[in-house]
Amino acid sequence: MNVGIDKINFYVPPYYVDMTELAFARNVDPNKFLLGIGQEQMAVNPKTQDIVTFAANAAKRMLTPEDLATIDMIIVGTESSIDESKASAVVLHRLLGVQPFARSFEIKEACYGATAGLQLAKNHVSANPTSKVLVIATDIAKYGLQSGGEPTQGAGAVAMLISQNPRILKLENETVMLTQDIYDFWRPVGHKYPMVDGPLSNETYVQSFQKVWTRYQEKHQRHLTDFAALAFHIPYTKMGKKALLAILENETEGEQTRMLEQYEASITYSRRVGNLYTGSLYLGLISLLENSNSLQANQRIGLFSYGSGAVCELFSGLLVEGFETYLEKDAHLALLENRQPLSMADYETMFADDLDTSITASFDDLTPFSIQHIENTIRVYRE
C-alpha cells in the first residue's frame, strides 16, 4: 500500500521583522544575519495568535468536508504547548469540525515531534487504509530581545494530511533514527525561554546527520545519486547547509552543484520566516517542491529531522505523478507578500506584550481563529 502526504500547507502570522533593521538595532553587521545565518525576515506574532491559531489556519484551507468526515486522528507536534495537560489537538478538533470519533493528542521532542507524528500516522493508515490522519507542526520560536538566539526566532505551522494513495509524496519504509542524551537545547519547566548551548547544538546537528547518513547508506544500500534532493530541519538556513556540505566533500563537482541548487530551493521560504521548530523541515519540503525547477515524479526526496536533546531521523519519500498540481505556490507567496513589516519599536512592543491568562480580557484581532477573549484561564478562539 502507498501511504504518504496527500496535502500540505503552511501558515505564518501576518507580521515580520526585516533582519537588516534588526541588525542595525543590535549594532551588528547586517551580513552576520543575511549571510552568516542566511536569514532575511523573521515572522512575529501578536499575543492574540498562538500555536492553535497557526495550526487551524494551516489546516482549514486544505481540508474538504470529505476529509473532515474521514480523519480519525489529529497529531500536533510542538514544543510551544499552551497547556501542560490538555493537548492543542483537542481544541483543533473542534475548531476544524473533524468528525467526533477520532484520537487527538500532542507529541513533544523539541523540533522532532512532528516527524514522530508523521511516522505514527503512516503506520496507522497502513493498518487502517480508509483512515486519514492530520499531522500539524506548530510552534513559536522565541529566545528574548537582544539574546544570542534572537535572530533565529520565528512562528507558524505546517499541516499535512496523511492517507493512502497520496497525491504528493509516498513515504518509504527506509528510515534511520538516532537518540542521544545531550543538553544542547532545553527548556526547564517554569523557564520562559530555552537554554541553548549554541556551539554544541551546531556540532550535534551536523554530527547527528553524518551518523544517520552513514547508517542509512549501510542499511539501505543507498547513495547520494539515489536522491533528487535532501530536505533538512532549518533552525536557520545556513544550518542545514553545513550538514549537507559535510557529506559532499568526496562527491563530484557536478553532484555538489546539483544538491546545493536543490538546497537553495528548499530554503526560499525559511529565509523569509525564520525558525518554525517542528515545522522547519516541512516548510523546507514545501519550499523545495514549489521552487525547484527540476523535480519529477518518482524521484526520491530525503528528509532529515532533528530535535535537540537529541533525536533525529533520516527518511525518504517518492514524488507522485502530478504532485505539482496539488501545491499552493501562489497562495503561499501571497501569504508572505501580504504580511506587514514591523518597525523595531513595534516589534519590541509586540514581543514584550505577553498574554496574561490569569485575567478576563477581550481582544479585537479579526484574523481567523485569533484569540477572542480570555475567561477563567481559557482561550476562546474566533471561529
Side-chain angles (χ1 to χ4, degrees):
M1 182 191 302
N2 294 334
V3 176
I5 300 174
D6 186 60
K7 298 180 181 181
I8 188 168
N9 187 46
F10 78 83
Y11 177 84
V12 294
Y15 304 98
Y16 73 90
V17 167
D18 181 272
M19 297 301 285
T20 298
E21 292 189 20
L22 180 63
F24 285 138
R26 301 296 181 250
N27 296 314
V28 171
D29 180 351
N31 285 331
K32 183 175 181 180
F33 296 165
L34 300 176
L35 302 178
I37 62 173
Q39 296 300 133
E40 298 170 3
Q41 299 172 347
M42 182 175 74
V44 181
N45 65 290
K47 66 182 179 182
T48 50
Q49 297 172 25
D50 61 14
I51 62 167
V52 171
T53 71
F54 301 157
N57 277 301
K60 186 67 173 180
R61 187 175 181 276
M62 72 178 192
L63 299 178
T64 66
E66 189 273 336
D67 293 331
L68 297 173
T70 311
I71 292 169
D72 63 1
M73 188 181 294
I74 301 174
I75 307 172
V76 171
T78 187
E79 56 180 283
S80 311
S81 186
I82 59 174
D83 191 284
E84 292 192 49
S85 178
K86 183 173 181 175
S88 57
V90 174
V91 182
L92 285 168
H93 176 275
R94 176 181 59 80
L95 290 177
L96 295 172
V98 174
Q99 61 87 21
F101 299 101
R103 292 189 180 104
S104 302
F105 55 94
E106 286 182 3
I107 293 179
K108 181 188 76 174
E109 175 19 56
C111 300
Y112 172 76
T115 298
L118 181 66
Q119 296 293 4
L120 195 158
K122 174 178 175 289
N123 292 338
H124 176 78
V125 174
S126 296
N128 304 275
T130 61
S131 296
K132 294 181 181 180
V133 180
L134 179 62
V135 178
I136 304 180
T138 181
D139 267 302
I140 299 172
K142 207 168 183 179
Y143 297 95
L145 297 175
Q146 303 189 47
S147 67
E150 184 180 25
T152 63
Q153 298 177 137
V158 176
M160 297 175 282
L161 187 65
I162 312 305
S163 72
Q164 69 167 326
N165 300 321
R167 291 175 289 184
I168 295 178
L169 189 72
K170 170 192 169 184
L171 294 172
E172 296 187 289
N173 292 324
E174 299 177 0
T175 182
V176 171
M177 301 78 70
L178 176 70
T179 295
Q180 305 168 101
D181 186 6
I182 298 173
Y183 277 87
D184 58 326
F185 173 107
W186 68 105
R187 182 157 68 92
V189 173
H191 282 241
K192 187 175 183 179
Y193 302 126
M195 315 288 285
V196 185
D197 184 332
L200 178 60
S201 187
N202 291 342
E203 178 185 354
T204 303
Y205 178 107
V206 174
Q207 290 184 351
S208 295
F209 175 67
Q210 290 175 303
K211 288 177 182 179
V212 293
W213 174 249
T214 299
R215 176 62 176 156
Y216 190 98
Q217 291 178 297
E218 295 170 348
K219 183 178 179 181
H220 302 296
Q221 298 301 299
R222 294 289 183 196
H223 305 283
L224 197 59
T225 52
D226 293 316
F227 295 86
L230 296 177
F232 289 80
H233 166 58
I234 311 170
Y236 55 90
T237 66
K238 280 297 182 71
M239 187 70 259
K241 188 174 183 178
K242 292 178 182 179
L244 177 59
L245 288 172
I247 67 166
L248 290 181
E249 294 178 350
N250 297 321
E251 300 293 334
T252 66
E253 183 177 346
E255 191 69 358
Q256 291 179 13
T257 299
R258 180 179 73 88
M259 297 306 292
L260 287 170
E261 286 178 350
Q262 297 287 38
Y263 182 78
E264 289 300 315
S266 77
I267 63 174
T268 301
Y269 295 155
S270 293
R271 285 186 184 277
R272 303 181 63 181
V273 173
N275 194 352
L276 295 192
Y277 282 165
T278 53
S280 294
L281 167 61
Y282 301 102
L283 180 63
L285 174 61
I286 295 173
S287 184
L288 172 66
L289 299 182
E290 294 184 353
N291 293 290
S292 172
N293 296 318
S294 60
L295 294 179
Q296 299 177 13
N298 300 313
Q299 288 185 323
R300 178 173 288 105
I301 305 296
L303 300 102
F304 175 64
S305 181
Y306 176 82
S308 293
V311 177
C312 69
E313 182 168 353
L314 179 62
F315 60 106
S316 62
L318 298 175
L319 291 171
V320 178
E321 186 74 40
F323 72 91
E324 63 276 4
T325 306
Y326 301 100
L327 303 176
E328 298 285 347
K329 183 173 182 178
D330 290 344
H332 292 149
L333 289 176
L335 175 66
L336 294 172
E337 289 295 330
N338 291 333
R339 294 176 301 161
Q340 176 182 333
L342 296 174
S343 68
M344 288 306 302
D346 288 341
Y347 155 64
E348 293 185 356
T349 297
M350 185 177 288
F351 188 100
D353 188 19
D354 291 330
L355 185 69
D356 186 352
T357 59
S358 67
I359 61 175
T360 300
S362 296
F363 308 102
D364 58 3
D365 186 341
L366 299 181
T367 305
F369 300 110
S370 58
I371 299 172
Q372 191 172 37
H373 63 267
I374 302 294
E375 186 173 348
N376 191 28
T377 74
I378 297 172
R379 304 176 190 216
V380 179
Y381 296 91
R382 188 179 306 279
E383 298 183 40

